[in-house]
Amino acid sequence: MAVNRFRLENDLEELALFQIQLLKDLSHKENEEDKVSSSSFRHRMLGNLLRPPYKRPELPPALYVIGLTGISGSGKSSVAQRLKGLGAFVIDCDQLGHRAYAPGGPAYQPVVEAFGTDILHKDGIINRKVLGSRVFGNKKQLKMLTDIMWPVIAKLAREEMDLAVAEGKHVCVIEAAVLLEAGWQNMVHEVWTIVIPETEAVRRIVERDGLSEAAAQSRLQSQMSGQQLVDQSHVVLSTLWEPHVTQSQVEKAWALLQKRVDAIKP
């Protein structure tokens, strides 16, 4: 219309105008754009199997194991609880770490011997803040700690798997921020990753842990990026939208998973 006004002012013939409506997306969902877009198609990939599962003949034959990971603040625990609500047996590797660190736990003595008694509270419990400050930003010290902790946590996770089998569970979820860094993908059939933008992760970490934005960003920089995790994942989910949208994603992923589990049941 603006062009035609210009043309009329210059004694030129008006151009004919034809209005073409945007193509409607018949599969449109509430968290997607109104128009047909690649963004909407990516949304629909969430929950789908992206690559063939690992064959793990060494795992308990009646158990299908999912490794659930994602950057800090991505919502791993929330998704783990949703999967638990659908019938999965959930193993929280952070809790296993707490158990391993406790006095009498399998990692307690090796950690104290490696880092000294000045990492202990007066009551003998390991002060994880002091230990964390010792290893943060120090690759050599961090490797010393992970060389002790990761095998111990993996062993505890395998014991939890046996418990899942004893309870008659068919799906086990190992929730672990360091799943891939620790090499624990060798204990799972599939890796599921929760993705959110880094800016949202920073906002959540600041809100949840009371850290500064700089500290939150520093924490994320010390982890594998979301893209690195996705590149090694079988299923990708996102907690970016409202809780009921996350729930529908998880239910979709769970329903598709059941078909795969049924296919390998002995």
Side-chain angles (χ1 to χ4, degrees), residues 10-150:
N10 289 276
D11 298 321
L12 295 170
E13 190 180 341
E14 280 188 273
L15 297 174
L17 297 178
F18 298 92
Q19 187 174 9
I20 300 172
Q21 296 292 334
L22 282 174
L23 183 64
K24 283 292 179 187
D25 187 347
L26 299 178
S27 303
H28 174 259
K29 293 182 176 59
E30 63 176 310
N31 58 306
E32 298 176 347
E33 297 179 3
D34 288 330
K35 65 181 187 294
V36 174
S37 74
S38 59
S39 171
S40 295
F41 288 122
R42 286 196 299 275
H43 289 174
R44 285 171 213 158
M45 292 299 289
L46 296 171
N48 289 354
L49 186 69
L50 304 177
R51 50 177 57 85
Y54 298 127
K55 289 181 171 63
R56 297 292 187 222
E58 69 279 13
L59 293 178
L63 199 64
Y64 200 87
V65 186
I66 303 298
L68 182 66
T69 192
I71 62 174
S72 186
S74 60
K76 293 182 291 298
S77 297
S78 132
V79 170
Q81 287 310 303
R82 293 175 192 280
L83 289 167
K84 185 176 182 178
L86 292 169
F89 184 96
V90 174
I91 300 171
D92 182 340
C93 285
D94 199 41
Q95 286 183 1
L96 295 184
H98 281 285
R99 197 198 303 174
Y101 275 124
Y108 180 84
Q109 204 56 43
V111 169
V112 172
E113 286 174 6
F115 292 92
T117 54
D118 56 335
I119 63 165
L120 299 176
H121 286 290
K122 287 180 181 176
D123 58 6
I125 293 172
I126 290 173
N127 186 330
R128 292 182 71 171
K129 281 190 176 177
V130 171
L131 181 59
S133 66
R134 184 82 61 85
V135 302
F136 189 76
N138 186 321
K139 287 185 178 178
K140 187 179 177 184
Q141 295 276 301
L142 180 61
K143 186 176 186 308
M144 194 190 306
L145 180 62
T146 57
D147 282 351
I148 295 168
M149 293 301 299
W150 286 350

Side-chain angles (χ1 to χ4, degrees), residues 71 196-205 213 217 220 240:
I71 62 174
I196 57 168
E198 189 173 303
T199 49
E200 174 64 10
V202 167
R203 188 193 68 77
R204 291 183 186 183
I205 295 167
E213 281 195 16
Q217 283 168 340
L220 291 175
L240 184 58

